[in-house]
Amino acid sequence: MFTAPTTDSMKGRILIIEDEAAIREMLGYTLMKEGFEFQEAADVDQARPLIERQKPDLILLDWMLPGMSGVDYARRVRNDPETRDIPIIILTARGEETDKVRGLDTGADDYITKPFSSKELLARIRAVMRRSAQDRPQGTVSAGGLSLDPETFRVTADGANVEISPTEFRLLHFFITHPERVYSRSQLLDQVWGQNVYVEERTVDVHIRRLRKALEQFGFDRFIQTVRSVGYRFSSQ
Ligand code: CA
């Protein structure tokens, strides 16, 4: 089930998983000032019972953690049906640039490089939360045996469940509702990620790859077509 991130009393509950106490404190302070509720964990072991007790609306996840790494944990969160719709923002250190795309590959919705300003942090949190909840389209859509239900965030292929992350869900939803037309990477970024979000164009390719991989076992990856030097097109014909 999807948990709506906003109530009257708060903007959302955020789980911070970060081993450096000073950064945890800075994050907590920033979130609190902005009206978010938050919980802190120094590693994955501490985070687990917190998530089981109450699902957060978003996870701020440090890349380098003692014990299980943030990347491995992101993958685990994404593979668990109970937690797979929780948006994740990964915190990386400078110098991990080449690993960023890999971070997205594990299921994170975004990443932010340390050191970052509270303004940047909050902008990214808002963007990710907005993308996963408020802009969530209503009503089931389907094409050629694929079916998407934005209420439950479920995707089925000929009736079988497809494991998919929130970003791929939105991407696939956009494609299904805009079939047979070619979209450039920047058009897809505007439509699926939002116009005021800074995301590199190659991020689109990463998510297209993940989407195809999720659909591959059902033979539906062929619906996502590459149009050379232009972009992508969805066609179930
Ligand atoms: Ca760390």
Side-chain angles (χ1 to χ4, degrees):
M1 279 303 294
F2 192 89
T3 311
T6 48
T7 69
D8 291 342
S9 59
M10 61 169 193
K11 289 188 174 179
R13 175 192 300 270
I14 297 181
L15 175 62
I16 303 166
I17 311 178
E18 162 66 73
D19 58 314
E20 284 175 63
I23 297 178
R24 252 194 346 260
E25 201 175 312
M26 182 274 284
L27 292 169
Y29 179 72
T30 303
L31 295 176
M32 183 196 67
K33 246 182 27 181
E34 199 60 22
F36 288 101
E37 199 173 310
F38 69 94
Q39 287 182 300
E40 299 175 39
D43 56 30
V44 169
D45 286 342
Q46 283 185 18
R48 242 182 235 130
L50 296 176
I51 289 188
E52 278 166 23
R53 207 174 309 139
Q54 192 168 12
K55 230 169 86 169
D57 299 309
L58 184 141
I59 300 174
L60 286 178
L61 179 59
D62 183 30
W63 181 287
M64 298 296 268
L65 288 169
M68 181 181 276
S69 77
V71 175
D72 289 340
Y73 188 57
R75 200 173 289 132
R76 187 161 296 194
V77 167
R78 214 41 96 217
N79 287 335
D80 182 344
E82 288 294 313
T83 57
R84 70 165 189 232
D85 56 6
I86 305 175
I88 298 172
I89 298 179
I90 288 204
L91 311 175
T92 68
R94 227 170 262 293
E96 292 171 342
E97 306 280 322
T98 54
D99 290 333
K100 281 179 177 176
V101 173
R102 203 158 62 90
L104 292 172
D105 252 334
T106 67
D109 292 85
D110 202 355
Y111 57 81
I112 185 164
T113 307
K114 299 174 190 174
F116 46 81
S117 66
S118 33
K119 199 177 156 195
E120 186 185 0
L121 174 74
L122 292 169
R124 284 184 186 269
I125 289 174
R126 281 193 210 101
V128 167
M129 280 190 156
R130 195 171 52 233
R131 291 202 312 259
S132 38
Q134 289 165 348
D135 286 352
R136 204 153 41 104
Q138 303 294 309
T140 300
V141 294
S142 42
L146 265 182
S147 188
L148 274 73
D149 180 1
E151 283 300 308
T152 58
F153 242 74
R154 269 174 63 154
V155 179
T156 55
D158 289 334
N161 268 325
V162 182
E163 296 292 319
I164 200 168
S165 80
T167 302
E168 277 86 67
F169 186 95
R170 286 189 305 276
L171 186 58
L172 185 56
H173 191 280
F174 176 77
F175 275 139
I176 285 187
T177 52
H178 301 80
E180 309 298 336
R181 274 156 64 186
V182 185
Y183 290 92
S184 69
R185 288 167 182 79
S186 67
Q187 285 173 325
L188 288 171
L189 281 176
D190 284 352
Q191 295 291 333
V192 179
W193 277 258
Q195 282 184 341
N196 299 315
V197 180
Y198 174 74
V199 186
E200 292 167 57
E201 291 198 358
R202 62 178 178 163
T203 300
V204 174
D205 300 328
V206 171
H207 288 281
I208 290 277
R209 197 163 66 235
R210 287 171 59 185
L211 181 56
R212 279 180 174 148
K213 207 173 166 211
L215 298 175
E216 200 174 14
Q217 57 177 313
F218 307 98
F220 289 153
D221 52 315
R222 69 176 193 278
F223 291 175
I224 317 288
Q225 302 170 350
T226 303
V227 181
R228 238 185 119 187
S229 67
V230 185
Y232 296 101
R233 170 178 56 212
F234 180 89
S235 176
S236 58
Q237 303 300 307

